Amino acid sequence: MKCALVTGGSRGIGRAICLKMASLGYYVLINYKSNAEEAINTLSQIEEAGGDGELLQFDVADREQVKQALGGWIEGNENNKYIEVLVNNAGIRDDSLMAWMDERQWDNVLKTNLDSFFVVTRLVLNSMLGRKYGRIINVVSLSGIKGLAGQTNYSAAKAGVIGATKALAQEVGRQGITVNALAPGFIKTDMTEGLDEKELKALIPAKRFGLPEEVAHAAAFFASPEAAYVTGQVLSINGGLYT
Ligand code: NAP
C-alpha cells in the first residue's frame, strides 16, 4: 500500500495536504506533536471523503522519538505499506529581534524546522532508494527566501531546508526521487492568527491571505508522477508577494 507521510498533519497547511494526498489515493500517515484531537479530526475528514490513514505521533524535533515512532512504523510495515510521498511540513516560529533572542528560541526553531528535515527524511529515504521512486516535499517559507526582520531563527532554518532540498535533489535524481520545496507567504492558519491581516494584505498583490488548500494544490503537483522532471525547485505560493 502506498503511503504519504505528512508531518504536522493535525492542523493548518498539513491538514489540507493530508486531505489532498488522500484524494490522490494515498493512505495517509498523519503526524502531530501533541494535538491528538485535531489529528483525529484530520483522519475523520479523510475517512468521510472515502480515504484512509492513521495517526503517527512524534515530535519531529526529538531524534529519539522520530527513530522510535517512525523507524518502528517502517520496520513494522515492511511487507505491506511503504512511504512514497514525504511532506516535511511540521514547523514553528518563535519571533524576536536578534538582540533579544535567547538560545532556547534559536534552538527550538532550528530543531523543529531544519534538523527535522534530516532526521525524518533520512529514515524514509532508504525505502525510496530501494524502490527507485519517491516524492519529497519540504514546506519552507517566503521568510527563508527573503529573510524577515524578527525571524533570524526561522529565516535561517527555512533557508537551510531550501539548500538541503537543492542538494538532495542532485543526490537522488538518478533514482527516480524528486525533492522540491513549497514556499508559502501568508496563509490563514493558527500560525498567522495573531498577525494584522488588514495591514499585511495591503502589501500582497492578491490583496488577501492564502488558504491551506492552495498550498495543498501545489503539493499535489510535486507529488504527481507527471512531475518527474521537476526537482530541486522552490515554488512560491504567496499571492505575488516578493521582496
Ligand atoms: P500551524 O497551523 O501552526 O500547524 C503546525 C502543525 O505542525 C501542527 O500540526 C503541529 O502539531 C505540527 N507541529 C509543530 N511542531 C511539531 C513538532 N515538533 N513535531 C511534530 N509536529 C509538530 O502551522 P501552519 O501555518 O499550518 O504551518 C505549516 C508549515 O508551513 C510550517 O512549516 C510553517 O513554517 C510553514 N509556513 C506557514 C505559513 C503560514 O502563513 N501559515 C507561511 C510560510 C510557511 P500539533 O497540532 O500537535 O501542535
Side-chain angles (χ1 to χ4, degrees), residues 99-221:
W100 310 114
M101 189 176 289
D102 60 36
E103 289 178 1
R104 185 193 47 82
Q105 285 175 293
W106 178 269
D107 290 344
N108 283 346
V109 169
L110 269 286
K111 270 188 199 159
T112 307
N113 295 285
L114 177 60
D115 293 1
S116 62
F117 160 80
F118 172 71
V119 185
V120 173
T121 307
R122 199 176 53 167
L123 273 179
V124 173
L125 194 59
N126 268 345
S127 86
M128 288 184 176
L129 287 168
R131 294 179 185 277
K132 297 206 178 306
Y133 187 90
R135 296 282 182 266
I136 298 169
I137 301 163
N138 300 317
V139 181
V140 294
S141 171
L142 174 68
S143 184
I145 299 174
K146 181 182 183 277
L148 284 181
Q151 293 195 325
T152 50
N153 51 358
Y154 186 77
S155 296
K158 296 298 193 183
V161 176
I162 290 173
T165 299
K166 293 178 179 179
L168 183 60
Q170 293 173 49
E171 290 184 17
V172 298
R174 273 167 173 266
Q175 277 98 359
I177 302 168
T178 65
V179 191
N180 290 290
L182 298 170
F186 292 103
I187 308 296
K188 264 182 187 286
T189 68
D190 293 346
M191 189 177 271
T192 50
E193 206 169 53
L195 301 181
D196 186 342
E197 189 173 338
K198 253 191 189 159
E199 194 181 300
L200 287 167
K201 72 184 182 187
L203 307 171
I204 305 168
K207 299 297 172 212
R208 64 175 178 86
F209 277 17
L211 300 173
E213 292 73 20
E214 291 173 309
V215 182
H217 179 66
F221 167 69

Side-chain angles (χ1 to χ4, degrees), residues 10-11 13 33-35 59-60 89 140 154 158 185 187 189:
S10 47
R11 292 182 282 125
I13 293 170
K33 181 182 176 185
S34 51
N35 205 332
D59 178 347
V60 296
N89 163 78
V140 294
Y154 186 77
K158 296 298 193 183
I187 308 296
T189 68

Side-chain angles (χ1 to χ4, degrees), residues 55-75:
L55 308 189
L56 193 55
Q57 190 276 333
F58 57 85
D59 178 347
V60 296
D62 183 326
R63 286 177 185 211
E64 284 314 309
Q65 269 193 39
V66 176
K67 281 180 199 159
Q68 279 185 12
L70 177 57
W73 185 93
I74 292 171
E75 261 184 53

